[in-house]
Amino acid sequence: MLEITLGIITFLTSIVAGVVGIGGGMMLIAILPSFLPLNALIPVHGLTQMSSNFSRAVFGYKDVEYEVIPKFLVGSLLGIALFSSILFYISLEYVPLFIGVYILLSLWSTKFNEKIKRYENYYIAGFFQTGLSMVVGATGPLTMTLLLKDYGDKHKVVATGAALMSITHIFKVIVFVFFGFVFWDYVGVLSFMIAGAIAGSFVGTKLRDKIDGKRFIMVLKVLLSALAIKLMVSLFL
């Protein structure tokens, strides 16, 4: 029964991500503590989100902007190498606050965008999104915010974001395996969750066509802003 329940929940959250490109993973990580032990939470979530994002990228492969992937990949390799090695020696308590502030300013401040544009690129995005994903649950908005500014097309934003987030989650899973987490112990739960994630990606991709482009951009900006505020508020609660 647990497996079926989590499969359905993952299916529904993956639909949300398939439509707007983000938010499904945050919803899932908020629900999982009611069903799984804490030590399994991040690894199981990571593998499930890897499946969700990768399938979303495959279903929208024609819209993926492939030229950004090598840049993001290089940044990700450096980020995961650095953060996994210093994870136990530094305090990352205020990282969510800085991520939240960056997202809000990037989405709504023209002056901030004019100043930050020369420093924004996919090498840096990969470095921080993948490196910080080891400790901060919501790093996906970093890349989605950048993609939203670079590409106005909803399908390009969602498909390319899914491809980049797949890289992040793949590295996370590799690190968890390296540190000794046994995914096979949760093979039953993972099977249903991965199936739900892929099915949700398919349905979400189809539903995205029903949303007007301008409305999509506004919905995504509001959702990203809400996630940014949640990141900052959770630091003080």
Side-chain angles (χ1 to χ4, degrees):
M1 190 63 188
L2 172 67
E3 289 87 351
I4 296 173
T5 301
L6 286 176
I8 293 170
I9 291 171
T10 307
F11 170 71
L12 295 173
T13 58
S14 191
I15 289 177
V16 172
V19 173
V20 293
I22 205 162
M26 286 287 289
M27 294 166 65
L28 186 61
I29 198 69
I31 295 169
L32 282 181
S34 301
F35 296 93
L36 294 174
L38 289 178
N39 68 308
L41 199 62
I42 303 299
V44 168
H45 178 265
L47 186 55
T48 303
Q49 287 306 108
M50 183 185 78
S51 307
S52 177
N53 283 286
F54 184 73
S55 60
R56 193 156 71 248
V58 170
F59 292 136
Y61 73 96
K62 292 180 180 178
D63 298 301
V64 174
E65 293 292 332
Y66 292 97
E67 71 270 11
V68 307
I69 292 179
K71 302 172 187 176
F72 186 87
L73 184 58
V74 170
S76 294
L77 282 167
L78 294 173
I80 205 74
L82 177 65
F83 282 95
S84 61
S85 62
I86 64 173
L87 198 58
F88 302 107
Y89 305 104
I90 60 172
S91 173
L92 299 171
E93 182 182 358
Y94 293 102
V95 166
L97 178 64
F98 293 119
I99 291 177
V101 170
Y102 164 76
I103 290 170
L104 290 175
L105 287 174
S106 189
L107 287 172
W108 305 106
S109 172
T110 305
K111 287 185 178 179
F112 177 79
N113 280 315
E114 288 173 356
K115 293 181 178 179
I116 200 71
K117 187 65 178 176
R118 73 187 71 171
Y119 305 109
E120 284 185 318
N121 60 63
Y122 291 94
Y123 295 106
I124 293 175
F127 179 83
F128 284 109
Q129 176 170 303
T130 303
L132 290 174
S133 70
M134 298 299 299
V135 288
V136 182
T139 56
L142 286 171
T143 303
M144 290 299 288
T145 304
L146 184 57
L147 288 169
L148 189 60
K149 289 192 287 187
D150 285 350
Y151 307 101
D153 182 83
K154 60 184 177 181
H155 295 293
K156 288 184 179 180
V157 171
V158 175
T160 308
L164 299 183
M165 284 189 275
S166 298
I167 293 171
T168 292
H169 288 296
I170 286 169
F171 281 127
K172 274 177 70 174
V173 169
I174 291 172
V175 170
F176 283 123
V177 170
F178 178 78
F179 282 126
F181 184 81
V182 183
F183 284 96
W184 185 256
D185 290 347
Y186 295 88
V187 65
V189 167
L190 281 167
S191 298
F192 279 87
M193 291 180 73
I194 289 171
I198 295 171
S201 290
F202 179 78
V203 173
T205 300
K206 296 299 182 183
L207 290 176
R208 197 187 315 134
D209 286 322
K210 310 295 183 184
I211 301 178
D212 173 71
K214 290 183 179 179
R215 185 176 297 176
F216 166 84
I217 290 173
M218 183 51 64
V219 168
L220 183 54
K221 287 180 76 171
V222 170
L223 183 55
L224 285 167
S225 299
L227 292 174
I229 293 169
K230 180 183 180 298
L231 271 175
M232 294 187 293
V233 171
S234 64
L235 185 65
F236 301 102
L237 294 179

